[in-house]
Amino acid sequence: MAAPQLIVVSPHGSGTPLLTEATTALGYTPCGTMSGAKGPSGAWRPGPGEVHPLLTAAYGPDRAALLLRRQGGEGDNLETAFQEAVSALWRVWWMRLGQPVTLASPVDPGLEGRLARVPDSELPGLLPGRGCWYVTSLELRRADGGFLRAWQATGNPPVIFHHRDPRDRIISQIRLLSQPAGQVGSLPEHLVYRDIISALPTMDARITFALTDPGFPGTAEARHCQWLAHHPAVTVITHEDLAGPAHGGSAEARQRALARLRETTGHAAPAVELPAPSAAASEGDDLTVGAWRAHFTPAHERLLSRYHGDLLAV
């Protein structure tokens, strides 16, 4: 039986789009940091049976039953109520996973409060369909203690740790932060570090800064995630394994990585044909394995060993 929810921990710059392609092919809607890849409110519309648990938890059994009758304009009310409940549920998930949230939110505090009181064991069953929660870090001291205890006891939802050679991850982040302001996105740390990176005159200076600044996007997350690489209940998939020939990896390693993904999600191997990665650009491909070799100098290698030797061992 396929797992209804997954959690993917993938630090900034780890080549997450390749993994998102695979989980989406397996029927999982990306949520969290990759929610823009395919939102849950597109062409797919859940049926009454699928939304009933969420509506009941969010509004109580009486109002949930009223909404599901779809009489006298109740259909429109049902759609609005469902979307509001989904927004509140996303926020609850985000907080339980230890992710930063904004205090100013359009989500109804009462609705959020009711969903926040849902037991940890019941939370994965509320989101209709199958969802994959993408986060850039899962820090033990920030994630909700009850959620972590439930996961440790049951192994659910399955957790996938997706990471990449720190040198390629740094190059990927520098390329992202070197883009015009309108193409960097809206994450606060990206906006701030885009200003810093843009003020540095050369790639050499940017790499030196990225290697020596502990707050550079992706660095702290990767360090806080090291426990995931050693936990027996976590499935580890590296970008290098998943890249395939299109991005400088091997077909054999990609097939092994996809087999681990199928096993973790509960999909039989022949049931779903996972896509080959999209073809790489001729140059400047952000997903290329070993792209750092064109930019790192011996001085950078020494800084890497000094500041990030522990990450190279993961």
Side-chain angles (χ1 to χ4, degrees):
M1 179 179 178
Q5 302 290 312
L6 302 176
I7 296 172
V8 169
V9 185
S10 184
H12 287 302
S14 295
T16 317
L18 284 188
L19 185 57
T20 306
E21 288 180 0
T23 59
T24 301
L26 289 172
Y28 291 91
T29 298
C31 307
T33 58
M34 297 301 291
S35 60
K38 179 186 176 184
S41 58
W44 174 76
R45 295 176 64 86
E50 294 176 292
V51 303
H52 184 268
L54 175 58
L55 294 178
T56 300
Y59 301 106
D62 292 340
R63 189 180 175 199
L66 180 64
L67 288 166
L68 288 168
R69 288 175 189 165
R70 300 171 181 259
Q71 295 177 355
E74 288 294 336
D76 292 337
N77 292 338
L78 173 65
E79 177 69 19
T80 300
F82 170 68
Q83 292 300 335
E84 290 177 351
V86 167
S87 296
L89 181 62
W90 281 21
R91 192 170 166 88
V92 169
W93 265 99
W94 215 232
M95 288 187 287
R96 292 203 186 182
L97 292 171
Q99 307 304 303
V101 296
T102 57
L103 291 177
S105 168
V107 173
D108 178 0
L111 191 60
E112 181 182 322
R114 286 190 291 274
L115 290 174
R117 292 191 291 272
V118 172
D120 296 283
S121 60
E122 298 176 15
L123 192 69
L126 293 186
L127 190 68
R130 295 201 292 269
C132 183
W133 294 92
Y134 280 87
V135 295
T136 58
S137 179
L138 187 57
E139 189 175 346
L140 291 176
R141 293 186 178 182
R142 290 189 177 182
D144 181 79
F147 178 81
L148 289 174
R149 291 188 192 97
W151 174 78
Q152 189 276 330
T154 66
N156 289 309
V159 173
I160 297 169
F161 178 39
H162 175 249
H163 68 97
R164 185 180 192 179
D165 185 303
R167 294 164 289 196
D168 277 336
R169 179 171 45 74
I170 285 171
I171 294 300
S172 174
Q173 283 299 98
I174 289 175
R175 285 174 171 167
L176 169 66
L177 298 171
S178 299
Q179 296 183 99
Q183 299 178 30
V184 172
S186 60
L187 291 176
E189 62 266 38
H190 282 177
L191 295 174
V192 170
Y193 272 90
R194 188 260 171 194
D195 293 343
I196 298 172
I197 289 296
S198 298
L200 296 172
T202 64
M203 187 65 163
D204 180 276
R206 292 173 179 181
I207 295 174
T208 297
F209 171 76
L211 287 168
T212 55
D213 180 72
F216 188 76
T219 298
E221 295 101 314
R223 186 152 282 113
H224 290 312
C225 287
Q226 290 187 82
W227 68 271
L228 291 159
H230 306 288
H231 197 287
V234 174
T235 299
V236 179
I237 296 178
T238 69
H239 173 73
E240 288 74 20
D241 285 345
L242 198 59
H247 301 290
S250 72
E252 294 78 10
R254 178 173 169 80
Q255 289 306 312
R256 289 194 296 269
L258 293 178
R260 292 198 300 277
L261 180 61
R262 288 192 184 96
E263 181 179 0
T264 297
T265 59
H267 287 78
V272 178
E273 184 65 29
L274 296 179
S278 53
S282 57
E283 59 181 76
D285 171 30
D286 189 53
L287 301 174
T288 297
V289 173
W292 63 270
R293 292 187 176 89
H295 304 283
F296 269 58
T297 66
H300 293 145
E301 290 281 12
R302 289 191 292 272
L303 290 173
L304 180 77
S305 178
R306 177 180 176 184
Y307 290 100
H308 306 290
D310 58 329
L311 296 181
L312 286 172
V314 174

